[in-house]
Amino acid sequence: MTTYKIVNPATGKTEREFPEATDAEIQAAVDRAHQAFGGWRASPQEDRAALLNRVAELYAERRDELAAIITREMGKPVAQARGEIDIVVSIYRYYATNGPKFLVDEELEVAGGGSAVVRKEGIGALLGIMPWNFPYYQVARFAAPNLMLGNTILLKHAPQCPESALAMERIFAEAGAPDGAYVNLFATNEQVSTIIADPRVQGVSLTGSERAGSAVAEQAGRHLKKVVLELGGSDPFLVLQPEDLDKTVKYAVTGRFGNAGQACNAAKRIIVLDEHYDAFVDKFTAAVGTVVPGDPSDPSTFMGPLSSAGAVETLAAQIEDAVAKGATVLAGGRRIDREGAWYEPTVLTGVEPGMRAFEEELFGPAAVIYRVSSEDEAVELANNTPYGLGAAIQCADEDRALEIASRLDTGMVYINQAEGSAAELPFGGVKRSGIGRELGKYGMEEFVNKKLVRVSAGSA
C-alpha cells in the first residue's frame, strides 16, 4: 500500500501517489547528511546566511504555486496558505539576519585568570518529523536555525504532504545548499526508528501528536539523542474584562476556526466570566454562523475542509460523545453531506469532566465555551488539562492580565489578541505539550554544542 499520496480533502479523490524510500535509499540519505555536516559546519556564517536569504527569496517568488500545493494536499484555504508562505519567508530571513549574532562567542568571567568562552557549534545531522497542518511553516522553524548553526537536515514529512516536501527540497537545491545539507525522506515508521538509532544522526525534532511524541522520545532516549517535541494543545482563551467585546469575538472566531481549527495553539477552550458570558455567547455563536465552509481554492474562503476523512471521524466521535453525555450544541455539530472531509463549524457548551471533549484535544472546527464565576475559577479551569502549550487573555487592565498570565501553566501567553506566531518569538509548551523551544534566539539553543574553550592565565 502506498503511504505517501495526495488525497484532496475537498473532493476525497486521490490525485497522485509517491513511492516510499527503500532501505538502501534511507541509508544513502543518512550518509549524505552525515558527510555534508563536516563541510557545512566549517563554512563561513556569511555563506549560511546567504543560503537562508536565497531560500526566502525563492519562497516569495513561488508564493502562489506553493500555496496551491498545500491547498490540494491538506485543504488549507488558499488565502491562509499564502499567509503561511509569508511567515516562512520571515523565518528564513530572520535567521539569516540574526543568526550570526546568536552565534557570537560568550565570554565568561574566570576566577583563576586567563580567559574562557562558550562557543556555539552544530552537532551533526538531525531528523525532523513534521506534520501536515502547516506543511511549510513547521519545517522552516526547524530547518532555518539549525542550518544557520551548521547542522544538516533529514526531513520526514507527513505522508499526505509529499508534493510540498519535494518542493521544499527543490528550493534548497536551487538556492545552492550543498548536497546532503537538506534531504527529503519518504520514510516509513519502521525506517524512522532505524534513522533515530543510527549513530550518524544526532537529534530528532518532532511536531505532531502526543502519541507520536512519546514514541519518538522513547526511541531517542534509548539511543541518547536530544529531542525537541511540539505536541498537542488544549489552549484556553480567557474572556475576563474585554475592552471591546466585538473585537474579542473576532479574535475568538479567527483563533478557533482558522485552518479549520487544526492548529495546536488554536483557541480550543473559551472561558468567560459570568458577567460577560451571555453577551459573548450570543455574539460568538452568531459570528460562527456566518462561517460557511467552502472551496479552499477560492481566495474568499475562510474555512475549507478538514485534512482527511479520518480527521472528520475523530472529531465527530468526540462531539457525539459530548452530546450523548449532556453537552449542548449551539451551532453546527454535524458532518456536511458532500464528497470530501467536511464538518460544520461547531459551538458546544455544558462540556464536563468525563466527556471526550473535556479530556481530549479537539483538532477541528469545534469551540467549547465555559462559564466561570471568578478569575480564580478561570485560572483553575485553564490549568485543568494535561496540556500546556499557549493561552490568550482578553482583559483591558494590563497589570491584571499580566498577573493572570503568571498563574497559567503554559509556555506562551498572548494578551488582548488571539494566539499567533512570529519568527522572533519563542514557540513551545510545558506538561504534555512538549519539550524545548523553536523560533527566536531559543530556536538556536536546542541542537547546539555549547563548547567551552578555556585559555589558562600562563599561556604565552
Side-chain angles (χ1 to χ4, degrees), residues 139-175:
V139 172
R141 69 188 197 182
F142 164 62
N146 283 302
L147 285 166
M148 189 65 224
L149 261 172
N151 293 321
T152 56
I153 302 299
L154 294 158
L155 203 291
K156 189 271 181 203
H157 218 315
Q160 70 194 81
C161 295
E163 191 173 354
S164 55
L166 290 174
M168 286 183 277
E169 187 177 46
R170 282 195 299 273
I171 283 175
F172 277 98
E174 293 178 30

Side-chain angles (χ1 to χ4, degrees), residues 93-321:
R93 286 178 175 162
Y94 174 81
Y95 284 107
T97 300
N98 295 284
K101 71 181 180 184
F102 295 152
L103 293 175
V104 171
D105 290 350
E106 178 187 353
E107 295 186 10
L108 305 178
E109 293 185 9
V110 286
S115 66
V117 300
V118 172
R119 184 163 294 162
K120 302 178 184 72
E121 299 176 350
I123 59 173
L126 306 175
L127 173 63
I129 305 171
M130 296 295 123
W132 49 262
N133 58 335
F134 290 90
Y136 301 116
Y137 160 73
Q138 304 282 7
V139 172
R141 69 188 197 182
F142 164 62
N146 283 302
L147 285 166
M148 189 65 224
L149 261 172
N151 293 321
T152 56
I153 302 299
L154 294 158
L155 203 291
K156 189 271 181 203
H157 218 315
Q160 70 194 81
C161 295
E163 191 173 354
S164 55
L166 290 174
M168 286 183 277
E169 187 177 46
R170 282 195 299 273
I171 283 175
F172 277 98
E174 293 178 30
D179 180 61
Y182 182 101
V183 182
N184 180 67
L185 303 172
F186 286 157
T188 65
N189 288 339
E190 292 75 17
Q191 289 169 334
V192 166
S193 296
T194 300
I195 295 167
I196 294 173
D198 195 306
R200 294 171 293 182
V201 175
Q202 302 303 313
V204 189
S205 178
L206 176 140
T207 297
S209 68
E210 181 184 346
R211 177 194 57 78
S214 295
V216 166
E218 180 181 1
Q219 294 169 18
R222 191 180 308 131
H223 299 286
L224 301 178
K225 305 290 177 72
K226 171 70 184 286
V227 295
V228 168
L229 305 174
E230 197 271 279
L231 309 177
S234 189
D235 289 14
F237 183 97
L238 281 65
V239 182
L240 303 180
Q241 194 65 49
E243 187 172 25
D244 183 333
L245 190 59
D246 290 331
K247 184 180 290 186
T248 294
V249 167
K250 182 179 179 180
Y251 289 151
V253 171
T254 57
R256 184 63 192 110
F257 295 99
N259 203 34
Q262 300 168 122
C264 51
N265 63 334
K268 298 185 177 78
R269 297 179 298 141
I270 302 174
I271 300 170
V272 188
L273 275 181
D274 185 78
E275 61 193 274
H276 306 294
Y277 183 85
D278 291 335
F280 177 88
V281 168
D282 288 346
K283 288 177 177 288
F284 181 77
T285 304
V288 172
T290 68
V291 177
V292 180
D295 178 2
S297 65
D298 184 338
S300 68
T301 295
F302 170 66
M303 185 181 138
L306 275 73
S307 64
S308 66
V312 173
E313 291 291 335
T314 298
L315 182 66
Q318 291 169 316
I319 291 173
E320 288 162 10
D321 171 81

Side-chain angles (χ1 to χ4, degrees), residues 355-387:
M355 299 178 183
R356 290 184 62 187
F358 187 94
E359 311 290 347
E360 301 174 5
E361 178 182 23
L362 299 182
F363 213 66
V368 180
I369 308 179
Y370 297 91
R371 183 199 294 259
V372 293
S373 60
S374 66
E375 290 178 357
D376 287 344
E377 186 181 354
V379 171
E380 181 179 5
L381 179 57
N383 289 336
N384 187 11
T385 172
Y387 299 108

